[in-house]
Amino acid sequence: MRIDLHTHSTVSDGTESPAQLMASAAAAGLNVVALTDHDTTAGWAEAVDTVPSTGVALVRGTEVSALVGGVSVHLLSYLQDPEHPVLAGMIARTREARQHRGRAIVELLAQDYPISWADVAAVQQPGTVVGRPHIADALVVLGIVPDRTAAFDDLLSARGRYYVPYYAPDAVDVVQAIRAAGGVPVFAHPGADGRGRVVADRVIEQLVEAGLFALEVDHRDHDATQRARLTALADRLGVAMTGSSDYHGSGKPNLLGENLTAPEVLGQIEAEGHTPVVRA
C-alpha cells in the first residue's frame, strides 16, 4: 500500500490541476494520495471526480499556515469539515493576507527588477491562493531567474530584503480549530531548517497537548539527523509519524511517493476524521 499524504495542485502553488495530480498519482503507483493545497479546499471536488477513473483513493486535506513564537509553520489538516466556521474563517483570513503580502513583495521587487502584479497574475490559475511560488514563476518567465529554486535561494528568500511577513493564526489555535472541525492535524516538515527557523521541542509538546496527531518525519527537507530527532520526539510524545512527498508538480524536484505513510497510520487518520476517504 503506497500512501502519500502531502501534495499541491494549481489551486495553490502546484503546477498540475487536481485532476492531473490524481492521474500523476496513479502513474506513480500510489494507492492513496492526499490533496493538501495551502489554505484552501477549492480543489477537492475536481479531485473527487477523478477517483473512479484513476483508482487512487483520495484523502481530502489542507495545509494550513500558522505562526508560533514568530516562526512560520504549516499544519496539515486531514478529513476536516470544510464548512466549519472557525477553521474556514481562519484560512479565509490567511488567504486574504497572502494576497496583500504578494502585492507588497512585487512592489519591493519592482524597485529593482522589471516585474509587475500583472506578470504574477498571468502565471496563476483563476481562484489560486497566491504565494511566493507564483512570484517565482513570474520571475522565471521574465528571465530574471532560471527557476523557482533560484528565486527562493535569492530574491524570495525569507532572509532577503524583498521578504514580507503575513498574517497567520497561532499554531495552537489552528490545531484546536482543526480538531473542532473534525480534522486530524499533522505538523508538516517540522525539522526543515533549510527553509528558515524551526520550532523547539517544547513548542511541539504544546501542539500535542492541543491535539496534534502526528509529525511529518519522512520528508526530503529532513536530513538523517532531523529524522532521528523527530522519530525520538514522536516516540516520547506518543504521536504518530507520517511520510510524504510534498509534491508540487514541476514546481519542485519532489517526486510523488518518494516518502510514504504506513497503512496503519492512515487507518488512524480515517478513524478520527470527519470527512471520509474517497475510494473508487
Side-chain angles (χ1 to χ4, degrees), residues 1 31-32 48 51-52 55-59 266-267 270 276-280:
M1 181 70 71
N31 303 102
V32 183
V48 167
V51 169
V56 178
L58 175 67
V59 176
L266 174 61
E270 192 167 6
V277 174
V278 182
R279 291 184 168 85

Side-chain angles (χ1 to χ4, degrees), residues 81-89 177 180-182:
D81 175 0
E83 297 181 357
H84 188 276
V86 175
L87 183 58

Side-chain angles (χ1 to χ4, degrees), residues 1 3 213 240-241 261-272:
M1 181 70 71
I3 303 164
F213 169 77
M241 294 178 284
T261 294
E264 55 268 26
V265 174
L266 174 61
Q268 291 176 271
I269 292 171
E270 192 167 6
E272 295 186 19

